[in-house]
Amino acid sequence: MDTDEMILVSIDDHAIEPPDLFENFVPEGLRDRAPRVVTEHGIERWTFEGTEITTPFGMCAVVSWPKDEWGFNPGRLGEVRPGCYDIHERVRDMNVNGVLASMCFPTMAGYNARTFYEADDKDLALIMLRAYNDWMRDAWCGQYPGRFIPMAIVPMWDAELCADEVRRMAASGVKAISFIEAPHAFGLPSLHTDYWDLMFGAMSDVGSVLCMHIGGSGRVITLAPEAPIDHQIVLPTQLTLMTAQDLLFSPVFRKFPDLKVALSEGGIGWIPHYLERADRHHENQAWLGNDFGGKRPSDIFREHFLACFITDRAGLKLRRDIGTDIIAWECDYPHTDTTWPKSPEVLHAELDAAGATDDEINRITFENSCRFFDFDPFVHIPKEHATVGALRALATDVDTTTTSKSEYLARFEAQRAGT
Amino acid sequence: MDTDEMILVSIDDHAIEPPDLFENFVPEGLRDRAPRVVTEHGIERWTFEGTEITTPFGMCAVVSWPKDEWGFNPGRLGEVRPGCYDIHERVRDMNVNGVLASMCFPTMAGYNARTFYEADDKDLALIMLRAYNDWMRDAWCGQYPGRFIPMAIVPMWDAELCADEVRRMAASGVKAISFIEAPHAFGLPSLHTDYWDLMFGAMSDVGSVLCMHIGGSGRVITLAPEAPIDHQIVLPTQLTLMTAQDLLFSPVFRKFPDLKVALSEGGIGWIPHYLERADRHHENQAWLGNDFGGKRPSDIFREHFLACFITDRAGLKLRRDIGTDIIAWECDYPHTDTTWPKSPEVLHAELDAAGATDDEINRITFENSCRFFDFDPFVHIPKEHATVGALRALATDVDTTTTSKSEYLARFEAQRAGT
C-alpha cells in the first residue's frame, strides 16, 4: 500500500478550547459564571469561580512552532497555530496531514474534568461540564460529519452523575469517555473499589469506551527531588502499564465483561513484555488464586483494551504478539509528540519497516478505531475521498512551515483588526 | 547450537545465608554481636542488635517446592531446598541445570545492605558488612573456582566508606557491587546528587559493576490501598526503566564515562520501546538542552548498561534493537521466577524462536557477562567441561522432583540427628 492510499483515523488529538466555548451552551442566567479567559501581563488564563486554570500553551499547543519556543511557559491564544482552537482551521490541518477523522481530548477542562471537579459549587460545575460536552459534540465535532469522534468528560466527584452523563451523551451519539489513569492518585476511589461500578455499568450498557490518557500515572511515582523535567515527559508512556495492571488484576472486567478501554497515548512497545510477565505471573503464582475464567491475563487484555500509539517501531515489529486487532494509531495534534504534518510518511515508514501487510495497515490506521468506537465515517465520506492522497489534494493551500509565536500573534491581531 | 552445547553464566541468583555465616569472619571479641538466627514458634528469623530481620522464605527460596506452598510467609531453614544455603548442594543444583557460573545476591543482608544500614552502631555494622563480603568471597564463592562471580554489598550510609569497600573488595577480586534502584526511595541521596560520586569514582577506577537489582523501585510508586499482591510481583520488572531513566538523564555517566551498570532481573523486552522514547524525547525537546556529547540516549545506554533477563521472548526477538553485546541471561535460583531445573530448555527454546545465531547465543548466555564482570571461568574449567551437557553429566544423581516443605524438614532433621 502506498502512503497516499492509507486511511487515517487518529484517536488522540487535543482541542485547545476557544474563549467563546460556553456562550451558546450555558443557560441564559448562568453565562456570567461560566469559565472565562482573563488576561494579565499579556498571559491569558482560564478562570472558573475565581480559580485560575493553568493552560501551559508552551507544551500543549506547540504544533508548527520552532522547537526553541517550546516549554512549560503559559502564553496567549493568538500565539498558537489557529488549527489548535479553530475547528475550520483544524480540519484544514487534518487534510494537509491526510487525517480523515480525529478524537480530541480536552485541555482547559482536563482529561478528568479537573476544572469542574475542583470547583466548590458542584451544581454549577455540572452545568458547565455538560456545556463543555455539548460544545465538543455540536460545535467542535458536529460541523464536520465523519471527521470527528466526539468525546465527553464526566463529573468524577459522583459516580452516579458520571453514569447519568455517560447515558446522556451516548443518547446523542457520544461514546468516548475521557477518564484518568490512576484515580487514587487524585484523591478519588481506586479502580479496585466498587465506586466506579455505576459508571462502568452504564458504559457497558451503551457501549462507551473508557479512554485513559497518559499523564495520570505521573502522580503515582515519587521522583527524586532533583530529577530533571525529562522524567515528566519520558515516563508517562512507560507507566501506562500500571493502569493495565490495575484493571487486569481488579474485579472490573469480571464485573463488566463488555467494558472497553483505550490506553490513549500509552504506546505499544511495552505490551508484549508486560503480557509475558502477567501471563507468567498468573501461571507461576498459583497460590494467589486469581480468577481469569480459565483464560490468561493476555487474553483478557486483548478482549478489553485498545493499544494506542503515535510512533512505535518496536511495538509495530511485535504487533502480532500484541494482537493486530487491538492496535490503533494516533496523531497527537497539537502536542509535542505529534508527527504532523508528516504523519502519513512517518507511519508508513514504520509499518513498512515492520513488514505489515495491507490488511494489517488498514486495521491499525483506521479499522480497529472505527470498530472500537462504533464510528463509521464512510456514511458521510466515501472511502475514495477519505484517503491520505484525497484529503491532501484538498489542502494544497495550507501553510505547514515552522512559524514563530510572534508571527502567529501578528497574524491573529491583524485578523482581529480586520486587516 | 544444541541445548547441550550452550554455556550458561547466570548473573542473578540468590544465596540464603546459613546461620554460621559470621563464625569465621568476625573478629574474636565481636562474635556475640554478629547477626544470628533465633527461633520462635517454629519460625527462624535473623536478628541484629535486637532488631528482627524478616526473611520471607516463602518467596525467596521456593525452588522445587509445590506451587501451593509458595507465599510471603516466613519459615525455617530446614524447609528449603539445601541448595539455597549449602554451597556444595548449590553447585550440584547448578550442575543439574547446566549452569557453569553464578552471581549471588544477598538475602538476609539486603541488596542495599539494609540489615547493616538500619543498625544504630555503624562501626559494628561495618564490621559485620565486611564479614558478609568476606564470607561471600571466601566461603560461598572461593571453594569452587570458576563457578561463581563474587558480589559485595556496600555501607550505603557513607559514600566514602562505600568507596573504601569497593576498593577493598576489588583488591581481592570482587568487582560486582549490589546497589539499590532508587536510593531516594530509601531516604538516601538520589542518583541526581553528587553524594555517590566517591563510590562511582572508585568503581570506575577499579572496573567494578553497579548491580541494580529490581525491587528498589517498588517504593517509588504509590499503589492504590486496595491493590492486590500481584502488583508487587508483576511491576518490579516493568519499573526498572525508571532506574535507567534516572541514570541516563543525570550527570552520572558524563562524570563517570567508565561506569558499568547491570539492570539485574530488569528484563529486556521494555528496552527497545524505552530507548525509542528516550531518543525521540532528546531529539524533540531540544529546549531542555540535554548534553549527551553528540550521541543519543540509546548510545549512552549501550555504553554503560548490561540488560539482564530470565525469560523474555519479546526482548529476544528485538535483541538487535537492544544490542546483542549488552544482553545477559539469569537463572534467579531459588526465587519464584527461576527456570531451574529446565533453564537450558526454556532459554534455548526462546533463543531458537527468536532466530538467534550461534554467535548471538554465546554472547547472551555467557560472553557478555564474562566481559562485563571481567570474569574468566575457563582459567579453571576448560570450555569442553563447561557446557550444559558436560555439567549435567556430573549431576545424574541430583533429585529435582517437587518436594514439600515438610519433606525437606524431615530430611534436614534426620541429617542433623545423624541418621
Side-chain angles (χ1 to χ4, degrees):
Chain A
M1 186 182 298
D2 286 341
T3 304
D4 275 354
E5 295 172 299
M6 295 195 301
I7 293 177
L8 302 184
V9 171
S10 163
I11 50 166
D12 176 23
D13 296 299
H14 302 269
I16 304 293
E17 295 90 344
D20 63 357
L21 185 157
F22 292 93
E23 266 175 31
N24 298 317
F25 296 95
V26 172
E28 187 85 37
L30 291 170
R31 280 191 203 145
D32 286 355
R33 299 190 62 194
R36 64 174 188 278
V37 174
V38 296
T39 307
E40 208 176 62
H41 306 302
I43 302 295
E44 291 171 8
R45 285 197 177 84
W46 282 91
T47 60
F48 179 46
E49 290 283 277
T51 300
E52 196 174 83
I53 304 156
T54 302
T55 307
F57 287 143
M59 287 298 275
C60 285
V62 305
V63 69
S64 75
W65 281 355
K67 282 187 198 294
D68 60 9
E69 294 197 356
W70 297 12
F72 281 104
N73 45 312
R76 50 202 304 170
L77 196 70
E79 293 174 340
V80 310
R81 186 174 178 86
C84 296
Y85 55 85
D86 179 302
I87 189 62
H88 311 294
E89 289 297 323
R90 173 63 67 99
V91 172
R92 283 162 49 80
D93 280 355
M94 287 161 62
N95 289 344
V96 81
N97 198 28
V99 174
L100 171 64
S102 162
M103 184 169 81
C104 294
F105 283 83
T107 302
M108 171 275 289
Y111 305 153
N112 59 343
R114 177 194 61 235
T115 294
F116 307 112
Y117 171 69
E118 288 177 356
D120 290 329
D121 185 340
K122 288 292 193 285
D123 295 333
L124 184 73
L126 183 61
I127 289 166
M128 298 307 161
L129 181 148
R130 289 182 171 163
Y132 170 89
N133 284 342
D134 293 343
W135 167 82
M136 170 54 70
R137 181 193 59 218
D138 299 342
W140 189 260
C141 303
Q143 299 187 66
Y144 289 92
R147 301 303 298 271
F148 292 94
I149 301 174
M151 158 170 274
I153 52 177
V154 285
M156 309 276 287
W157 60 89
D158 185 320
E160 191 168 348
L161 292 177
C162 287
D164 292 346
E165 190 64 5
V166 163
R167 291 184 198 278
R168 187 181 81 89
M169 293 312 290
S172 62
V174 181
K175 293 191 168 186
I177 301 296
S178 179
F179 201 69
I180 191 84
E181 286 188 314
H184 70 275
F186 292 82
L188 290 160
S190 83
L191 296 168
H192 300 278
T193 67
D194 57 11
Y195 177 80
W196 303 104
D197 284 7
L198 278 173
M199 185 185 77
F200 292 155
M203 295 182 69
S204 298
D205 288 347
V206 299
S208 292
V209 176
L210 191 68
C211 300
M212 313 281 256
H213 196 286
I214 61 161
S217 290
R219 291 202 190 185
V220 170
I221 55 172
T222 307
L223 296 178
E226 308 84 2
I229 288 175
D230 307 88
H231 285 44
Q232 296 173 40
I233 306 172
V234 171
L235 290 176
T237 46
Q238 312 296 308
L239 298 177
T240 198
L241 66 87
M242 293 201 288
T243 300
Q245 172 72 16
D246 263 335
L247 284 167
L248 275 180
F249 287 85
S250 79
V252 170
F253 294 142
R254 278 197 298 284
K255 288 194 275 188
F256 305 102
D258 297 324
L259 187 64
K260 299 183 285 184
V261 182
L263 295 172
S264 305
E265 205 175 328
I268 60 174
W270 56 273
I271 295 175
H273 179 249
Y274 168 71
L275 292 182
E276 270 183 53
R277 176 71 186 160
D279 282 354
R280 182 171 164 73
H281 167 76
H282 178 53
E283 188 191 322
N284 220 13
Q285 308 282 356
W287 64 281
L288 289 168
N290 282 305
D291 173 17
F292 288 98
K295 297 175 181 174
R296 297 169 304 173
S298 62
D299 298 322
I300 308 296
F301 185 94
R302 292 188 187 98
E303 287 173 9
H304 291 274
F305 285 106
L306 188 66
C308 314
F309 76 100
I310 303 163
T311 157
D312 207 312
R313 297 190 301 273
L316 288 174
K317 284 185 193 171
L318 296 185
R319 66 196 174 282
R320 291 173 196 171
D321 293 324
I322 297 168
T324 55
D325 281 333
I326 65 159
I327 299 174
W329 174 77
E330 304 168 319
C331 181
D332 201 28
Y333 180 105
H335 281 192
T336 61
D337 273 312
T338 187
T339 49
W340 188 93
K342 292 289 174 198
S343 301
E345 286 72 18
V346 172
L347 179 59
H348 191 274
E350 294 192 2
L351 289 163
D352 196 49
T357 65
D358 284 1
D359 179 53
E360 289 175 328
I361 293 174
N362 283 334
R363 289 186 210 186
I364 292 170
T365 60
F366 77 101
E367 288 176 359
N368 292 339
S369 288
C370 288
R371 184 189 70 251
F372 208 75
F373 286 94
D374 192 15
F375 172 69
D376 184 0
F378 309 114
V379 173
H380 305 284
I381 299 158
K383 255 192 186 171
E384 64 270 26
H385 295 168
T387 63
V388 168
L391 292 167
R392 279 183 160 171
L394 301 175
T396 50
D397 62 331
V398 177
D399 179 9
T400 61
T401 52
T402 301
T403 305
S404 68
K405 293 181 187 183
S406 56
E407 173 59 26
Y408 275 127
L409 193 60
R411 290 185 203 169
F412 181 81
E413 290 182 341
Q415 195 178 29
R416 234 179 7 186
T419 56
Chain B
M1 185 182 300
D2 286 342
T3 304
D4 275 354
E5 295 171 300
M6 295 194 303
I7 293 176
L8 303 184
V9 171
S10 163
I11 49 167
D12 175 24
D13 295 300
H14 302 269
I16 304 293
E17 296 89 345
D20 63 357
L21 185 157
F22 291 94
E23 265 176 31
N24 298 317
F25 296 96
V26 171
E28 186 85 38
L30 292 170
R31 279 193 204 144
D32 286 354
R33 300 190 62 194
R36 66 175 185 277
V37 174
V38 296
T39 307
E40 209 176 61
H41 306 303
I43 302 296
E44 292 172 6
R45 285 197 176 84
W46 281 92
T47 59
F48 180 46
E49 289 281 277
T51 300
E52 196 173 84
I53 304 156
T54 303
T55 307
F57 286 141
M59 287 297 276
C60 286
V62 304
V63 70
S64 76
W65 281 354
K67 282 187 198 295
D68 60 8
E69 294 196 355
W70 297 12
F72 280 105
N73 46 312
R76 49 202 305 168
L77 196 69
E79 294 174 339
V80 310
R81 186 173 177 87
C84 295
Y85 54 84
D86 179 301
I87 189 62
H88 310 294
E89 290 297 324
R90 172 63 66 100
V91 172
R92 282 161 49 80
D93 280 355
M94 288 162 60
N95 289 343
V96 81
N97 199 27
V99 174
L100 170 64
S102 163
M103 185 169 81
C104 294
F105 283 83
T107 301
M108 170 277 289
Y111 305 153
N112 59 343
R114 177 194 61 234
T115 294
F116 308 110
Y117 171 68
E118 289 176 355
D120 291 329
D121 185 340
K122 288 291 192 287
D123 293 334
L124 184 73
L126 183 61
I127 289 166
M128 298 306 161
L129 181 147
R130 288 183 171 164
Y132 171 89
N133 284 340
D134 293 344
W135 166 83
M136 170 54 71
R137 180 192 61 218
D138 298 343
W140 189 261
C141 303
Q143 299 187 66
Y144 289 91
R147 301 303 297 271
F148 292 93
I149 300 173
M151 158 171 273
I153 51 178
V154 285
M156 308 277 285
W157 61 88
D158 184 321
E160 191 168 348
L161 292 178
C162 287
D164 291 347
E165 191 63 5
V166 163
R167 292 183 197 279
R168 186 181 81 90
M169 294 311 290
S172 62
V174 181
K175 293 193 170 185
I177 301 296
S178 179
F179 201 70
I180 191 83
E181 287 187 314
H184 69 276
F186 292 82
L188 290 160
S190 83
L191 296 168
H192 300 278
T193 67
D194 55 11
Y195 177 79
W196 304 104
D197 284 7
L198 277 173
M199 186 186 75
F200 292 156
M203 295 183 68
S204 298
D205 286 349
V206 298
S208 293
V209 176
L210 191 70
C211 299
M212 312 281 255
H213 195 286
I214 61 160
S217 291
R219 292 202 188 185
V220 170
I221 54 173
T222 307
L223 296 178
E226 308 84 5
I229 288 174
D230 307 88
H231 286 43
Q232 296 172 40
I233 306 172
V234 171
L235 290 177
T237 45
Q238 312 296 310
L239 297 177
T240 198
L241 66 86
M242 292 201 289
T243 301
Q245 172 72 16
D246 263 335
L247 283 168
L248 275 181
F249 287 86
S250 79
V252 169
F253 294 142
R254 277 197 298 285
K255 287 193 277 188
F256 305 101
D258 296 324
L259 186 65
K260 299 184 285 185
V261 182
L263 294 172
S264 304
E265 206 175 326
I268 61 174
W270 57 271
I271 294 175
H273 180 249
Y274 168 71
L275 291 183
E276 270 183 53
R277 176 72 186 160
D279 282 354
R280 182 170 164 75
H281 167 76
H282 178 54
E283 188 191 323
N284 220 12
Q285 309 282 357
W287 63 281
L288 289 167
N290 280 305
D291 174 16
F292 288 98
K295 297 176 182 173
R296 297 169 305 173
S298 62
D299 298 321
I300 307 296
F301 185 94
R302 293 188 185 98
E303 287 174 7
H304 291 274
F305 285 105
L306 188 67
C308 314
F309 75 101
I310 302 163
T311 156
D312 207 313
R313 297 190 301 274
L316 289 174
K317 284 185 193 172
L318 297 185
R319 66 196 174 282
R320 291 173 196 171
D321 293 323
I322 298 168
T324 55
D325 281 333
I326 64 160
I327 299 174
W329 174 79
E330 304 168 320
C331 181
D332 201 28
Y333 181 104
H335 280 193
T336 62
D337 274 312
T338 187
T339 50
W340 187 93
K342 293 289 174 198
S343 301
E345 286 73 18
V346 172
L347 178 59
H348 192 273
E350 294 192 2
L351 289 162
D352 197 47
T357 65
D358 285 1
D359 178 53
E360 289 175 328
I361 293 174
N362 283 334
R363 289 186 208 185
I364 291 169
T365 60
F366 77 100
E367 288 176 359
N368 292 340
S369 288
C370 288
R371 184 189 69 249
F372 209 75
F373 287 93
D374 192 15
F375 172 68
D376 184 0
F378 309 114
V379 172
H380 305 284
I381 299 157
K383 257 191 185 171
E384 64 271 25
H385 295 169
T387 63
V388 168
L391 293 166
R392 280 183 161 171
L394 302 174
T396 50
D397 63 331
V398 177
D399 178 8
T400 62
T401 52
T402 301
T403 305
S404 68
K405 293 180 189 183
S406 56
E407 173 59 26
Y408 275 128
L409 192 60
R411 290 185 203 169
F412 180 82
E413 289 181 343
Q415 196 180 27
R416 236 182 1 188
T419 57

